[in-house]
Coordinates of all heavy atoms in Angstrom, one line a residue:
M17 N 115.6 278.9 269.1 CA 114.3 278.2 268.9 C 114.4 276.7 269.3 O 115.2 276.1 269.0 CB 113.7 278.2 267.4 CG 113.1 279.5 266.9 SD 111.5 279.9 267.7 CE 110.4 278.9 266.7
T18 N 113.4 276.4 270.2 CA 113.4 274.9 270.6 C 111.9 274.5 270.2 O 111.0 275.5 270.1 CB 113.7 274.7 272.0 OG1 112.6 275.1 272.8 CG2 115.0 275.4 272.4
A19 N 111.6 273.3 270.4 CA 110.3 272.7 270.2 C 109.3 273.2 271.2 O 108.2 273.2 271.1 CB 110.3 271.3 270.2
L20 N 109.9 273.9 272.3 CA 109.0 274.2 273.4 C 108.7 275.8 273.5 O 108.0 276.3 274.3 CB 109.6 273.8 274.8 CG 109.6 272.3 275.0 CD1 110.1 272.1 276.4 CD2 108.2 271.7 274.9
D21 N 109.3 276.5 272.6 CA 109.3 278.0 272.6 C 107.9 278.4 272.4 O 107.6 279.5 273.1 CB 110.1 278.6 271.3 CG 111.6 278.6 271.7 OD1 111.9 278.2 272.7 OD2 112.3 278.9 270.7
Q22 N 106.9 277.7 271.8 CA 105.7 278.2 271.6 C 104.8 278.1 273.0 O 103.7 278.5 272.9 CB 104.9 277.5 270.5 CG 104.8 275.9 270.7 CD 104.2 275.2 269.6 OE1 103.1 275.6 269.1 NE2 105.0 274.3 269.0
Y23 N 105.3 277.3 273.9 CA 104.4 277.0 275.1 C 104.8 278.0 276.2 O 105.9 278.6 276.3 CB 104.7 275.6 275.5 CG 104.3 274.6 274.5 CD1 105.2 274.0 273.7 CD2 102.9 274.2 274.4 CE1 104.9 273.2 272.7 CE2 102.6 273.3 273.4 CZ 103.5 272.7 272.6 OH 103.2 271.8 271.6
D24 N 103.8 278.2 277.0 CA 103.9 279.1 278.2 C 103.9 278.2 279.5 O 103.0 277.5 279.7 CB 102.7 280.0 278.2 CG 102.7 280.9 279.4 OD1 103.7 280.9 280.2 OD2 101.7 281.7 279.6
F25 N 105.1 278.3 280.2 CA 105.2 277.6 281.5 C 105.0 278.3 282.7 O 105.4 278.0 283.8 CB 106.5 276.8 281.5 CG 106.8 275.8 280.5 CD1 107.4 276.1 279.3 CD2 106.2 274.6 280.7 CE1 107.5 275.1 278.3 CE2 106.4 273.6 279.7 CZ 107.0 273.7 278.6
E26 N 104.3 279.4 282.4 CA 103.9 280.4 283.6 C 103.2 279.6 284.8 O 103.4 279.9 285.9 CB 103.0 281.5 283.0 CG 103.0 282.7 284.0 CD 104.2 283.4 284.2 OE1 105.2 283.3 283.4 OE2 104.2 284.3 285.1
N27 N 102.4 278.7 284.4 CA 101.6 277.9 285.4 C 102.4 276.7 286.0 O 101.7 276.1 286.8 CB 100.2 277.3 284.7 CG 99.3 278.5 284.5 OD1 99.3 279.5 285.1 ND2 98.5 278.3 283.4
L28 N 103.6 276.5 285.6 CA 104.3 275.4 286.2 C 105.0 275.9 287.5 O 105.9 276.9 287.5 CB 105.4 275.0 285.3 CG 106.2 273.8 285.8 CD1 105.4 272.5 285.8 CD2 107.4 273.5 284.7
K29 N 104.5 275.4 288.7 CA 105.0 275.9 289.9 C 105.6 274.8 290.8 O 105.1 273.6 290.7 CB 103.8 276.5 290.7 CG 103.1 277.4 290.0 CD 103.7 278.8 290.0 CE 102.8 279.9 289.3 NZ 103.5 280.9 288.8
N30 N 106.6 275.1 291.5 CA 107.2 274.1 292.5 C 106.6 274.5 293.8 O 107.0 275.4 294.4 CB 108.7 274.2 292.5 CG 109.3 273.2 293.5 OD1 108.6 272.5 294.1 ND2 110.6 273.2 293.5
E31 N 105.7 273.8 294.2 CA 104.8 274.2 295.5 C 105.9 274.0 296.7 O 105.5 274.6 297.8 CB 103.7 273.2 295.7 CG 102.4 273.8 295.1 CD 102.0 275.1 295.6 OE1 102.2 275.5 296.8 OE2 101.7 275.9 294.7
S32 N 106.9 273.3 296.6 CA 107.8 273.2 297.8 C 108.4 274.5 298.2 O 108.7 274.8 299.2 CB 108.8 272.0 297.6 OG 109.6 272.4 296.5
E33 N 108.5 275.4 297.1 CA 108.9 276.8 297.4 C 108.0 277.5 298.5 O 108.6 278.0 299.4 CB 109.0 277.6 296.2 CG 110.1 277.3 295.2 CD 110.1 278.2 294.0 OE1 109.5 279.3 294.0 OE2 110.8 277.9 293.1
T34 N 106.7 277.3 298.2 CA 105.9 277.9 299.3 C 106.0 277.3 300.6 O 106.1 278.1 301.6 CB 104.3 277.7 298.8 OG1 104.2 278.2 297.4 CG2 103.4 278.4 299.7
H35 N 106.1 276.0 300.7 CA 106.2 275.3 302.0 C 107.5 275.7 302.7 O 107.6 276.0 303.8 CB 106.3 273.8 301.8 CG 105.1 273.3 301.1 ND1 103.7 273.9 301.5 CD2 104.8 272.5 300.1 CE1 102.9 273.2 300.6 NE2 103.5 272.4 299.9
V36 N 108.7 275.8 301.9 CA 109.9 276.2 302.5 C 109.9 277.6 302.9 O 110.5 278.0 303.9 CB 111.1 275.9 301.5 CG1 112.3 276.7 301.8 CG2 111.4 274.5 301.3
F37 N 109.4 278.6 302.1 CA 109.3 279.9 302.4 C 108.5 280.1 303.7 O 108.9 280.8 304.7 CB 108.6 280.9 301.4 CG 109.5 281.0 300.2 CD1 109.0 281.2 299.0 CD2 110.9 280.9 300.2 CE1 109.8 281.3 297.7 CE2 111.8 281.0 299.1 CZ 111.2 281.2 297.9
N38 N 107.4 279.4 303.9 CA 106.5 279.5 305.1 C 107.3 279.0 306.2 O 107.2 279.6 307.4 CB 105.2 278.8 304.9 CG 104.3 279.5 304.0 OD1 104.5 280.6 303.6 ND2 103.3 278.8 303.5
E39 N 107.9 277.9 306.1 CA 108.7 277.3 307.3 C 109.8 278.2 307.6 O 110.2 278.3 308.9 CB 109.1 275.9 306.9 CG 109.9 275.1 307.9 CD 108.9 274.9 309.2 OE1 107.7 274.8 309.1 OE2 109.6 274.7 310.2
L40 N 110.6 278.7 306.6 CA 111.7 279.6 306.9 C 111.3 280.8 307.7 O 111.9 281.1 308.6 CB 112.4 280.0 305.6 CG 113.6 280.8 305.7 CD1 114.7 280.2 306.5 CD2 114.1 281.2 304.3
A41 N 110.1 281.4 307.3 CA 109.6 282.6 308.0 C 109.2 282.1 309.4 O 109.6 283.0 310.3 CB 108.4 283.1 307.3
A42 N 108.7 281.1 309.6 CA 108.3 280.7 311.0 C 109.5 280.4 311.8 O 109.6 280.8 313.0 CB 107.4 279.4 311.0
Q43 N 110.4 279.7 311.2 CA 111.7 279.3 312.0 C 112.5 280.5 312.4 O 113.2 280.7 313.5 CB 112.6 278.3 311.4 CG 111.8 276.8 311.5 CD 112.7 275.7 311.1 OE1 114.0 275.9 311.3 NE2 112.1 274.6 310.6
L44 N 112.6 281.5 311.4 CA 113.4 282.6 311.8 C 113.0 283.4 313.0 O 113.8 284.2 313.6 CB 113.4 283.6 310.5 CG 114.5 283.0 309.3 CD1 114.2 283.9 308.1 CD2 115.9 283.1 309.8
E45 N 111.7 283.4 313.1 CA 111.2 284.1 314.4 C 111.8 283.6 315.7 O 111.8 284.3 316.6 CB 109.7 284.0 314.4 CG 109.0 284.8 313.4 CD 107.5 284.9 313.5 OE1 107.0 284.7 314.7 OE2 106.8 285.2 312.5
A46 N 112.2 282.3 315.7 CA 112.7 281.6 316.8 C 114.2 281.7 316.9 O 114.9 281.3 317.8 CB 112.2 280.2 317.0
V47 N 114.9 282.2 315.8 CA 116.3 282.3 315.8 C 116.8 283.6 316.2 O 116.2 284.6 316.0 CB 116.7 282.0 314.2 CG1 118.2 282.3 314.0 CG2 116.4 280.6 313.7
P48 N 118.0 283.6 317.0 CA 118.5 284.8 317.5 C 118.7 285.9 316.4 O 119.0 285.6 315.3 CB 119.9 284.5 318.1 CG 119.8 283.0 318.3 CD 118.8 282.4 317.3
Q49 N 118.5 287.1 316.8 CA 118.6 288.2 316.0 C 120.0 288.3 315.2 O 120.2 288.9 314.1 CB 118.3 289.6 316.5 CG 116.9 289.9 316.7 CD 116.1 289.7 315.5 OE1 116.5 290.3 314.4 NE2 114.9 289.1 315.4
E50 N 121.1 287.9 315.9 CA 122.4 288.0 315.3 C 122.6 287.2 314.1 O 123.6 287.4 313.3 CB 123.5 287.7 316.3 CG 123.6 286.2 316.8 CD 123.0 286.2 318.1 OE1 122.1 286.9 318.4 OE2 123.3 285.2 318.9
V51 N 121.7 286.2 313.8 CA 121.9 285.6 312.5 C 121.4 286.5 311.3 O 120.4 287.1 311.4 CB 120.8 284.3 312.5 CG1 120.8 283.6 311.1 CG2 121.2 283.3 313.5
C52 N 122.3 286.6 310.4 CA 122.1 287.6 309.4 C 120.9 287.3 308.6 O 120.5 286.2 308.1 CB 123.4 287.6 308.3 SG 123.3 288.8 307.2
R53 N 120.1 288.4 308.3 CA 118.9 288.3 307.6 C 118.9 289.1 306.2 O 118.0 289.6 305.7 CB 117.6 288.7 308.3 CG 117.3 287.7 309.4 CD 116.6 288.4 310.6 NE 115.9 287.4 311.4 CZ 116.4 286.6 312.3 NH1 117.7 286.7 312.5 NH2 115.7 285.8 313.1
C54 N 120.2 289.3 305.7 CA 120.3 290.0 304.5 C 119.7 289.2 303.3 O 119.5 287.9 303.4 CB 121.8 290.5 304.2 SG 122.8 289.2 303.6
N55 N 119.5 289.8 302.2 CA 118.9 289.1 301.1 C 119.8 287.9 300.6 O 119.2 286.8 300.3 CB 118.8 290.1 299.9 CG 117.5 289.8 299.1 OD1 116.6 290.7 298.9 ND2 117.3 288.6 298.6
D56 N 121.1 288.1 300.6 CA 122.0 286.9 300.3 C 121.9 285.7 301.2 O 121.8 284.6 300.7 CB 123.4 287.4 300.2 CG 123.7 288.3 299.0 OD1 122.8 288.2 298.1 OD2 124.7 289.0 298.9
C57 N 121.8 286.0 302.5 CA 121.8 284.8 303.4 C 120.4 284.2 303.5 O 120.3 283.0 303.5 CB 122.1 285.5 304.9 SG 123.9 285.8 305.0
I58 N 119.3 285.0 303.4 CA 118.0 284.3 303.3 C 117.8 283.6 302.0 O 117.3 282.5 302.0 CB 117.0 285.5 303.4 CG1 117.0 286.2 304.8 CG2 115.6 284.9 303.2 CD1 116.8 285.3 306.0
G59 N 118.4 284.2 300.9 CA 118.3 283.5 299.7 C 119.1 282.2 299.7 O 118.7 281.1 299.1
D60 N 120.3 282.2 300.4 CA 121.1 280.9 300.5 C 120.3 279.9 301.4 O 120.3 278.7 301.0 CB 122.4 281.3 301.2 CG 123.5 281.6 300.4 OD1 123.3 281.5 299.0 OD2 124.5 282.1 300.8
M61 N 119.7 280.4 302.4 CA 118.9 279.5 303.3 C 117.8 278.8 302.4 O 117.7 277.6 302.5 CB 118.3 280.2 304.4 CG 119.1 280.7 305.5 SD 118.3 281.7 306.7 CE 119.7 282.5 307.6
A62 N 117.1 279.6 301.7 CA 116.0 279.1 300.8 C 116.5 278.0 299.8 O 116.0 277.0 299.6 CB 115.2 280.2 300.1
A63 N 117.7 278.4 299.2 CA 118.2 277.5 298.1 C 118.7 276.2 298.8 O 118.4 275.0 298.2 CB 119.4 278.2 297.4
I64 N 119.4 276.3 299.9 CA 119.9 275.0 300.5 C 118.7 274.2 300.9 O 118.7 273.0 300.7 CB 120.9 275.4 301.8 CG1 122.1 276.1 301.3 CG2 121.1 274.1 302.6 CD1 122.8 276.8 302.4
A65 N 117.7 274.7 301.6 CA 116.5 273.9 302.1 C 115.8 273.3 300.8 O 115.5 272.2 300.9 CB 115.5 274.8 302.8
L66 N 115.7 274.2 299.8 CA 114.9 273.6 298.6 C 115.7 272.5 297.9 O 114.9 271.5 297.4 CB 114.6 274.8 297.6 CG 113.4 275.8 298.0 CD1 113.5 276.9 297.1 CD2 112.2 274.8 297.7
N67 N 117.0 272.4 298.0 CA 117.7 271.4 297.4 C 117.6 270.1 298.2 O 118.0 269.0 297.8 CB 119.2 271.8 297.2 CG 119.3 272.6 296.0 OD1 118.6 272.5 295.0 ND2 120.3 273.5 295.9
R68 N 117.1 270.2 299.4 CA 117.0 269.1 300.3 C 115.5 268.5 300.5 O 115.5 267.5 301.1 CB 117.5 269.4 301.7 CG 119.0 269.7 301.6 CD 119.6 270.3 302.9 NE 121.0 270.5 302.8 CZ 121.8 270.2 303.8 NH1 121.4 269.6 305.0 NH2 123.2 270.3 303.7
V69 N 114.7 269.1 299.9 CA 113.2 268.6 300.0 C 112.9 268.0 298.5 O 113.4 268.5 297.5 CB 112.3 269.8 300.5 CG1 112.6 270.1 301.9 CG2 112.1 270.8 299.5
V70 N 111.9 267.1 298.6 CA 111.4 266.6 297.3 C 110.6 267.8 296.6 O 109.8 268.3 297.3 CB 110.6 265.5 297.6 CG1 109.8 264.9 296.3 CG2 111.3 264.3 298.3
P71 N 110.9 268.0 295.4 CA 110.2 269.0 294.6 C 108.7 268.6 294.5 O 108.4 267.5 294.4 CB 110.8 269.1 293.3 CG 111.6 267.8 293.2 CD 111.9 267.3 294.5
K72 N 107.8 269.6 294.5 CA 106.4 269.3 294.3 C 105.9 270.2 293.2 O 105.0 271.0 293.3 CB 105.7 269.7 295.6 CG 106.1 268.9 296.9 CD 105.5 267.5 296.7 CE 105.8 266.7 298.0 NZ 105.2 265.3 297.9
Y73 N 106.4 269.9 292.0 CA 105.9 270.6 290.9 C 104.4 270.3 290.5 O 104.1 269.1 290.7 CB 106.8 270.2 289.6 CG 108.0 271.0 289.6 CD1 109.3 270.4 290.1 CD2 108.1 272.3 289.3 CE1 110.4 271.2 290.2 CE2 109.2 273.0 289.2 CZ 110.4 272.4 289.7 OH 111.5 273.2 289.7
R74 N 103.7 271.2 290.1 CA 102.4 271.1 289.6 C 102.1 272.0 288.5 O 102.8 273.0 288.3 CB 101.4 271.3 290.7 CG 101.5 272.7 291.3 CD 100.4 273.0 292.3 NE 100.5 274.3 292.9 CZ 100.0 275.4 292.3 NH1 99.5 275.5 291.2 NH2 100.2 276.6 293.0
W75 N 101.1 271.7 287.8 CA 100.6 272.6 286.8 C 99.4 273.3 287.5 O 98.5 272.6 288.1 CB 100.0 271.9 285.5 CG 99.6 272.7 284.5 CD1 98.4 272.8 284.0 CD2 100.5 273.6 283.6 NE1 98.3 273.8 282.9 CE2 99.6 274.2 282.7 CE3 101.9 273.8 283.6 CZ2 100.2 275.1 281.7 CZ3 102.4 274.7 282.8 CH2 101.5 275.4 281.9
S76 N 99.3 274.6 287.6 CA 98.6 275.3 288.7 C 97.1 275.0 288.7 O 96.4 275.3 289.8 CB 98.9 276.7 288.6 OG 98.3 277.4 287.5
L77 N 96.5 274.5 287.6 CA 95.0 274.3 287.5 C 94.6 273.4 288.7 O 93.6 273.5 289.1 CB 94.6 273.8 286.2 CG 95.0 274.8 284.9 CD1 94.7 274.1 283.7 CD2 94.3 276.1 285.2
L78 N 95.4 272.4 288.9 CA 95.0 271.3 289.9 C 95.8 271.7 291.3 O 95.8 270.8 292.2 CB 95.4 270.0 289.4 CG 94.8 269.6 288.2 CD1 95.3 268.2 287.7 CD2 93.2 269.4 288.4
G79 N 96.4 272.9 291.5 CA 97.3 273.1 292.5 C 96.8 272.9 293.9 O 97.5 272.4 294.8
G80 N 95.5 273.4 294.2 CA 95.0 273.5 295.5 C 95.1 272.2 296.2 O 95.6 272.1 297.3
L81 N 94.5 271.1 295.6 CA 94.5 269.8 296.3 C 95.9 269.2 296.6 O 96.1 268.7 297.6 CB 93.7 268.9 295.3 CG 92.1 269.2 295.0 CD1 91.7 268.4 294.0 CD2 91.4 269.1 296.3
Y82 N 96.7 269.4 295.6 CA 98.0 268.8 295.7 C 98.8 269.5 296.8 O 99.4 268.8 297.7 CB 98.8 269.1 294.3 CG 100.1 268.4 294.2 CD1 100.4 267.1 294.8 CD2 101.1 268.9 293.5 CE1 101.5 266.4 294.6 CE2 102.4 268.3 293.4 CZ 102.5 267.0 294.0 OH 103.7 266.3 293.8
T83 N 98.6 270.8 296.9 CA 99.4 271.5 297.9 C 98.9 271.1 299.3 O 99.7 270.9 300.2 CB 99.0 273.0 297.8 OG1 99.5 273.5 296.5 CG2 99.7 273.9 298.8
A84 N 97.6 270.9 299.5 CA 97.1 270.6 300.8 C 97.6 269.2 301.1 O 98.0 269.0 302.3 CB 95.6 270.6 300.8
S85 N 97.5 268.3 300.2 CA 97.9 266.9 300.5 C 99.4 266.9 300.9 O 99.9 266.1 301.8 CB 97.6 265.9 299.4 OG 98.3 266.3 298.2
A86 N 100.3 267.6 300.2 CA 101.7 267.6 300.5 C 102.0 267.8 302.0 O 102.7 267.1 302.7 CB 102.5 268.5 299.6
M87 N 101.4 268.9 302.5 CA 101.8 269.3 303.9 C 101.0 268.4 304.9 O 101.4 268.5 306.1 CB 101.5 270.8 304.2 CG 102.7 271.7 303.6 SD 104.3 271.2 304.1 CE 104.7 272.3 305.4
N88 N 100.0 267.6 304.4 CA 99.3 266.8 305.3 C 100.1 265.5 305.5 O 99.8 264.6 306.4 CB 97.9 266.5 304.8 CG 97.0 267.6 305.0 OD1 97.2 268.5 305.9 ND2 95.9 267.7 304.2
D89 N 101.1 265.3 304.6 CA 101.9 264.1 304.7 C 103.0 264.4 305.8 O 103.8 265.3 305.5 CB 102.5 263.8 303.4 CG 103.4 262.7 303.3 OD1 103.8 262.3 304.4 OD2 103.9 262.3 302.2
E90 N 102.9 263.6 306.9 CA 103.8 264.0 308.0 C 105.3 263.9 307.6 O 106.2 264.6 307.9 CB 103.5 263.1 309.2 CG 104.2 263.6 310.4 CD 103.9 262.7 311.7 OE1 103.0 262.0 311.6 OE2 104.8 262.7 312.6
K91 N 105.5 262.9 306.8 CA 106.9 262.6 306.4 C 107.5 263.8 305.6 O 108.6 264.3 305.8 CB 107.0 261.4 305.5 CG 108.3 260.6 305.5 CD 108.3 259.3 304.9 CE 109.6 259.0 304.2 NZ 109.4 258.1 303.1
Y92 N 106.6 264.3 304.7 CA 107.1 265.4 303.9 C 107.1 266.7 304.7 O 108.2 267.4 304.7 CB 106.1 265.7 302.8 CG 106.3 267.0 302.0 CD1 107.4 266.9 301.0 CD2 105.6 268.1 302.1 CE1 107.7 268.1 300.3 CE2 105.9 269.2 301.3 CZ 107.0 269.2 300.5 OH 107.3 270.4 299.8
R93 N 106.2 266.9 305.6 CA 106.3 268.1 306.5 C 107.5 268.1 307.3 O 108.2 269.0 307.5 CB 105.0 268.2 307.4 CG 104.8 269.5 308.1 CD 103.5 269.6 308.8 NE 103.3 268.6 309.8 CZ 102.3 267.7 309.8 NH1 101.6 267.6 308.8 NH2 102.4 266.7 310.8
T94 N 107.9 267.0 307.9 CA 109.1 266.8 308.7 C 110.2 267.0 307.9 O 111.2 267.6 308.4 CB 109.1 265.4 309.4 OG1 107.9 265.1 310.1 CG2 110.2 265.2 310.3
S95 N 110.3 266.6 306.7 CA 111.6 266.8 305.9 C 111.7 268.3 305.6 O 112.8 268.8 305.5 CB 111.4 266.1 304.5 OG 110.4 266.6 303.6
V96 N 110.4 269.0 305.4 CA 110.7 270.4 305.2 C 111.2 271.2 306.5 O 112.2 272.0 306.4 CB 109.4 271.1 304.8 CG1 109.4 272.6 304.7 CG2 108.9 270.6 303.4
E97 N 110.7 270.8 307.5 CA 111.2 271.5 308.8 C 112.7 271.1 309.1 O 113.4 272.0 309.4 CB 110.3 270.8 310.0 CG 108.9 271.3 310.0 CD 108.0 270.6 311.0 OE1 108.5 269.6 311.6 OE2 106.8 270.8 311.0
K98 N 113.0 269.9 308.8 CA 114.5 269.5 308.9 C 115.3 270.3 308.0 O 116.4 270.8 308.3 CB 114.6 268.1 308.8 CG 115.9 267.4 309.0 CD 115.9 265.9 309.1 CE 117.3 265.3 309.3 NZ 118.0 265.1 307.9
A99 N 115.0 270.3 306.7 CA 115.7 270.9 305.7 C 115.9 272.5 306.0 O 117.0 273.0 305.9 CB 115.1 270.8 304.4
V100 N 114.9 273.1 306.5 CA 115.0 274.5 306.8 C 115.9 274.7 308.1 O 116.7 275.7 308.1 CB 113.6 275.2 307.1 CG1 113.7 276.6 307.7 CG2 112.8 275.2 305.7
R101 N 115.6 273.9 309.0 CA 116.6 274.0 310.3 C 118.0 273.8 309.9 O 118.9 274.6 310.3 CB 116.1 272.9 311.3 CG 116.7 273.0 312.6 CD 115.8 272.2 313.7 NE 115.7 270.9 313.2 CZ 114.6 270.3 313.0 NH1 113.4 270.9 313.1 NH2 114.5 268.9 312.6
E102 N 118.3 272.9 309.0 CA 119.8 272.6 308.6 C 120.3 273.8 307.8 O 121.4 274.3 308.0 CB 119.8 271.4 307.8 CG 119.6 270.1 308.6 CD 119.5 268.8 307.9 OE1 119.4 268.9 306.7 OE2 119.4 267.8 308.5
A103 N 119.4 274.4 306.9 CA 119.8 275.4 306.1 C 120.2 276.8 306.9 O 121.2 277.4 306.6 CB 118.7 275.8 305.1
I104 N 119.4 277.0 308.0 CA 119.6 278.1 308.7 C 120.9 277.9 309.5 O 121.8 278.8 309.5 CB 118.5 278.3 309.8 CG1 117.2 278.7 309.0 CG2 118.9 279.5 310.8 CD1 115.9 278.9 309.9
A105 N 121.1 276.7 309.9 CA 122.4 276.4 310.7 C 123.7 276.6 309.8 O 124.6 277.2 310.2 CB 122.3 275.0 311.3
I106 N 123.5 276.1 308.6 CA 124.6 276.2 307.7 C 125.0 277.6 307.4 O 126.2 278.0 307.4 CB 124.3 275.4 306.3 CG1 124.3 273.9 306.6 CG2 125.3 275.7 305.2 CD1 123.7 273.1 305.5
V107 N 124.0 278.5 307.0 CA 124.3 279.8 306.7 C 124.7 280.6 307.9 O 125.6 281.4 307.9 CB 123.0 280.4 306.0 CG1 123.3 282.0 305.8 CG2 122.7 279.8 304.7
R108 N 124.2 280.3 309.0 CA 124.4 280.9 310.3 C 126.0 280.7 310.5 O 126.7 281.6 311.0 CB 123.7 280.3 311.4 CG 124.0 280.8 312.7 CD 123.1 280.1 313.8 NE 123.1 280.9 315.1 CZ 122.4 280.5 316.2 NH1 121.4 279.6 316.0 NH2 122.5 281.1 317.3
N109 N 126.4 279.5 310.4 CA 127.9 279.2 310.6 C 128.8 279.6 309.6 O 130.0 279.6 309.8 CB 128.0 277.7 310.9 CG 127.3 277.2 312.2 OD1 127.1 278.0 313.1 ND2 126.8 275.9 312.2
N110 N 128.2 279.9 308.4 CA 129.1 280.1 307.3 C 128.4 281.0 306.3 O 128.0 280.7 305.2 CB 129.3 278.8 306.6 CG 130.6 278.7 305.7 OD1 131.2 279.8 305.5 ND2 130.9 277.6 305.2
P111 N 128.2 282.4 306.7 CA 127.5 283.2 305.7 C 128.3 283.5 304.5 O 129.5 283.3 304.4 CB 127.3 284.5 306.6 CG 128.2 284.4 307.7 CD 128.6 282.9 307.9
S112 N 127.5 283.8 303.4 CA 128.1 283.9 302.1 C 128.9 285.2 302.0 O 129.4 285.5 300.9 CB 127.1 283.8 301.0 OG 126.1 284.8 301.1
H113 N 129.1 285.9 303.0 CA 129.8 287.2 302.9 C 130.6 287.3 304.2 O 130.3 286.6 305.2 CB 128.9 288.4 302.7 CG 127.8 288.4 303.7 ND1 127.9 288.8 305.0 CD2 126.5 288.0 303.6 CE1 126.8 288.6 305.7 NE2 125.9 288.2 304.8
D114 N 131.5 288.3 304.2 CA 132.2 288.5 305.4 C 131.4 289.1 306.6 O 130.5 289.9 306.3 CB 133.4 289.5 305.2 CG 134.5 288.8 304.4 OD1 134.6 287.6 304.4 OD2 135.3 289.6 303.7
Q115 N 131.6 288.6 307.8 CA 130.7 289.2 308.8 C 131.3 290.5 309.3 O 132.5 290.6 309.5 CB 130.6 288.1 310.0 CG 129.6 287.1 309.7 CD 129.6 286.0 310.9 OE1 130.7 285.3 311.0 NE2 128.5 285.8 311.5
T116 N 130.5 291.4 309.5 CA 131.0 292.8 309.9 C 130.3 293.2 311.1 O 129.2 292.7 311.4 CB 130.9 293.8 308.9 OG1 129.4 293.9 308.4 CG2 131.7 293.6 307.7
Ligands
LIG301 ZN1 123.9 288.1 305.2

């Protein structure tokens, strides 16, 4: 039991996940097919990228406005693009499993 057990954090979202997933999907289309797309490698890419961008936590009731403004910020958008590009390169050069 903790003092927070009675609360429901279902509405607590990190919007940067959405931005990173969208950017990852877009960039993967331009990446050669030999880059592994297994669940572990894609999950690694997402985790690496997410650790490199500023989190955008929100309580979902106000989410829409916040989400729109984050990607309208060029500095933030550029940081997401860069983080995803680097994450793909890292996993591509160093997959979390043996290459077969
Ligand atoms: Zn893989």
